[in-house]
Structures are given as structure tokens and as C-alpha cells.
Amino acid sequence: RGIVRPPKRQTGGKRRERNFLFLRLSFYSSLLRMSVKTELAYLRDTYAFKTSSSSDDDVSTVLDVLKTTKINEDDDDERWYSYGYEIVLDRTIAYPAGGGQPSDVGTISIDTNTRRWMFDFEEVRMDKETKQVLHRGTFRRRRNEEEENDDDVFDVDEMKGKPCSIEIDENVRMAHAKMHTAGHLLDVAVALIPGLEKLVATKGSHGVADAYVEYKGNARTFSGIEDDDEKLIRLINEHLEKLIEQNDVVKAEYLAYEDAKRACGGSLPSYVSPDAEESPRVVTVAGCGCPCGGTHVKSSKELKRVTAVGFRVKKGQTRIRYEVDI
């Protein structure tokens, strides 16, 4: 009585049990991160160019940081800044490439216990299986390398679970939004030409450098204008000009399946399932609806000028190229 005994030293078995528990928790934590779908905030607001890590309304959290490939394959340096990375977020305003629209570019800022890390991404993609959005790019190095040893503080595990802010390039976002809306408007203009309503849009590309809409069917045969491509292009452009002048509001909304069918002319593509978890997102341009997951401007007037610049017919497919005054 009155004797204070030192605590018993942990046996090897208890240490192993504790280490096993830690590994198991890490494993389940990793599974949890993989099961979280990325919230696509860009679908709600094309004009959201920046988020804040301090705002509960638009904060994003880092789910994972994945090392990809070396920036320069000929570089023997194995330090962290010699590699590219992909950052997975639980919520993003950055558009992942898809539907013919290129991805956004921008910067992610992550505050850890050691410092603020700046990550510049030039590519965004969607993992079709996990429904997570990955931002591909590189971390910035400090200009003053003597300030601290970056090798000592770079720890991707420390970044996981941390809030972050995102800023996308406004000019790139708006250029892509205008090109995508213009593609929809072109489709409306084409259908206004007698006979061309029978064309069925199959795919499109909405990049600034190479924009087109491709259709199943022969535009020359359907329109009856067999030997005058310039006339056909002129008719399309006349309709485009009138549609822009109407200054119609561009709507993006989630609709029940049957309502979406009506908004899209009575039918939906086969890839839009009536049993899907989410309702179809329908974008309406100049009164014509179409299922779409892209970013768009608020009205056709923002496009200023859309010009069909040529088309080709090959193997029963018509491709119409267009340009937009950005």
C-alpha cells in the first residue's frame, strides 16, 4: 500500500493488435472515400468560377491524392515535384471533359497543418465506375526554396480530408459554355430547314478549335438541295441569326422522365433510363429541349454570332462545322 507501480509494458501481441486495428481503420477509410460520389456543382451554376474553403455552402473536401506519371520522363529526380498528381474532391465546380465539351482548367488550394498547397490542374475527368471527378495537374513549389524544405512537409495523407478552395479559368469556362450552347442552337437552326428535321444528331464536338454537330442522314438528299452547298449553309446561318436575335432564355432543369420526354420532342435517347437514380437534366435552347450535362450561357443573345462554316456528307453521315464569336 502506498507503492506506485510503473505501467506494464505492452506485449508484442497487444502492439500487433493495435497496428492491425489501425490498418483496418485505414482500409475502411479508404473504401469510404472510394464510395463517395463527387457532387457536380457546375451543373447548378455555369457562372460559379471560385469557391471558398471557409464557406459551408460551397466548401470542397479532398478525398484522395494520387501520384500519376513523371512530368519529364528523362528526369532522374524522384522528388514529389517531378510527378503529376490527380486530386479527387467530394464536390467540384470544375467541368470534366465529356459530351463533346473540353474540361475546365484552374487551381485548387489546400490548407494543411504545415502550409498551403497550390495545385494547378489542366485536365478534369470523370471516373465512370466511382462517379468521382479527378483533377489532373501539378503542385507548385515555393519560389524561395530556402524558406523550408518542401521534401520534409509534402505528405499527401495529410491533405486527405482537408477543406480546399477551387478557382477555374473564367475565360475558358465561358468559351466552352458558349460553344456548347451554340451547338444546341445550330441543331435548332438545321431542323428549321424543310427536310432536315429528319436528320438525327448523333454526336458533337464543342471545342473552340474544332466545333461540329454530326447527324445520321444525308443533308443534301433530305433538303433537296443537291448541288449547292453554299445555299444550304446560307440558309442555316440565316436561321441562326434570327434565333440569336430572339434572345431566348436558356434553361437547364431536372425533370421527371415523362416530362423530360415531352420537353425533348416526345422521346429520349436510349442512354437516358427511366429507372435512373437521378432525373434527366434537360437543357432547352430556343424552345427545344435536349438531355445534356454540359455548361451553358443564360441566353442566346450572349452568343453574339454563330456561323456554320461548312459541312460534309460521308457514309450517310452529315457533319456541320460551326464557329462562335467568343
Side-chain angles (χ1 to χ4, degrees):
R1 186 179 294 178
I3 298 175
V4 179
R5 299 182 182 278
K8 289 184 178 181
R9 187 177 180 184
Q10 280 191 325
T11 63
K14 287 186 176 180
R15 284 199 301 271
R16 285 194 296 272
E17 183 179 346
R18 187 180 65 180
N19 291 338
F20 174 74
L21 179 61
F22 174 77
L23 290 173
R24 192 164 67 174
L25 287 173
S26 298
F27 172 74
Y28 285 122
S29 176
S30 177
L31 282 181
L32 180 62
R33 287 196 299 270
M34 290 175 62
S35 66
V36 176
K37 297 180 182 179
T38 302
E39 179 188 344
L40 310 179
Y42 59 82
L43 291 175
R44 294 198 303 270
D45 188 1
T46 291
Y47 301 80
F49 308 119
K50 190 174 182 179
T51 68
S52 171
S53 60
S54 61
S55 172
D56 292 337
D57 294 332
D58 61 359
V59 67
S60 297
T61 302
V62 177
L63 294 178
D64 213 346
V65 181
L66 309 168
K67 183 189 285 187
T68 56
T69 56
K70 293 197 88 172
I71 300 170
N72 184 355
E73 292 294 338
D74 297 327
D75 188 358
D76 294 330
D77 195 338
E78 293 296 323
R79 283 173 289 188
W80 61 267
Y81 45 76
S82 299
Y83 286 84
Y85 294 82
E86 286 186 324
I87 293 182
V88 186
L89 302 178
D90 70 336
R91 178 184 185 278
T92 187
I93 59 170
Y95 181 82
Q101 179 177 331
S103 76
D104 282 318
V105 298
T107 302
I108 298 173
S109 304
I110 309 170
D111 286 317
T112 66
N113 297 330
T114 53
R115 59 171 276 191
R116 170 170 288 185
W117 294 93
M118 305 297 290
F119 179 80
D120 298 314
F121 60 89
E122 60 277 341
E123 180 184 346
V124 188
R125 67 181 182 90
M126 170 80 78
D127 187 301
K128 293 182 179 179
E129 293 185 3
T130 64
K131 303 300 181 183
Q132 292 181 333
V133 175
L134 297 91
H135 309 70
R136 189 182 184 95
T138 55
F139 284 96
R140 293 184 198 172
R141 297 181 66 187
R142 290 184 184 271
R143 291 184 179 180
N144 183 3
E145 292 301 327
E146 296 179 0
E147 190 171 333
E148 63 180 69
N149 188 344
D150 281 345
D151 289 337
D152 293 338
V153 298
F154 186 80
D155 183 358
V156 296
D157 288 329
E158 189 185 13
M159 299 178 192
K160 297 173 186 178
K162 293 291 190 295
C164 65
S165 60
I166 314 168
E167 184 170 1
I168 61 170
D169 188 309
E170 179 178 346
N171 292 328
V172 171
R173 158 61 66 83
M174 292 312 301
H176 293 166
K178 289 177 181 178
M179 296 301 297
H180 202 152
T181 303
H184 284 235
L185 197 69
L186 173 66
D187 192 39
V188 177
V190 167
L192 290 174
I193 297 173
L196 294 193
E197 73 280 356
K198 293 183 288 185
L199 291 175
V200 178
T202 55
K203 67 177 181 178
S205 174
H206 309 299
V208 175
D210 181 28
Y212 65 82
V213 178
E214 190 164 290
Y215 298 88
K216 180 180 180 181
N218 188 321
R220 297 187 182 107
T221 302
F222 286 175
S223 66
I225 305 174
E226 295 277 0
D227 302 316
D228 195 346
D229 289 353
E230 290 186 5
K231 178 182 178 180
L232 200 52
I233 289 296
R234 186 172 65 253
L235 290 173
I236 295 173
N237 285 330
E238 287 174 0
H239 285 300
L240 282 169
E241 188 174 349
K242 291 176 183 177
L243 290 169
I244 291 173
E245 285 299 319
Q246 289 178 12
N247 193 23
D248 287 332
V249 173
V250 176
K251 294 191 300 182
E253 53 191 343
Y254 290 92
L255 300 174
Y257 187 82
E258 291 301 323
D259 292 336
K261 282 177 62 176
R262 283 190 288 271
C264 298
S267 64
L268 290 171
S270 59
Y271 61 79
V272 180
S273 171
D275 302 320
E277 292 182 13
E278 295 183 348
S279 299
R281 181 177 185 258
V282 175
V283 172
T284 302
V285 178
C288 296
C290 177
C292 182
T295 59
H296 292 270
V297 296
K298 293 178 179 177
S299 72
S300 56
K301 193 73 171 180
E302 288 188 56
L303 299 176
K304 295 181 181 178
R305 185 178 179 85
V306 180
T307 308
V309 293
F311 75 95
R312 74 175 192 193
V313 178
K314 186 177 181 180
K315 296 181 179 179
Q317 302 283 327
T318 299
R319 176 177 292 190
I320 303 176
R321 295 182 293 109
Y322 68 94
E323 294 177 351
V324 180
D325 290 353
I326 301 298

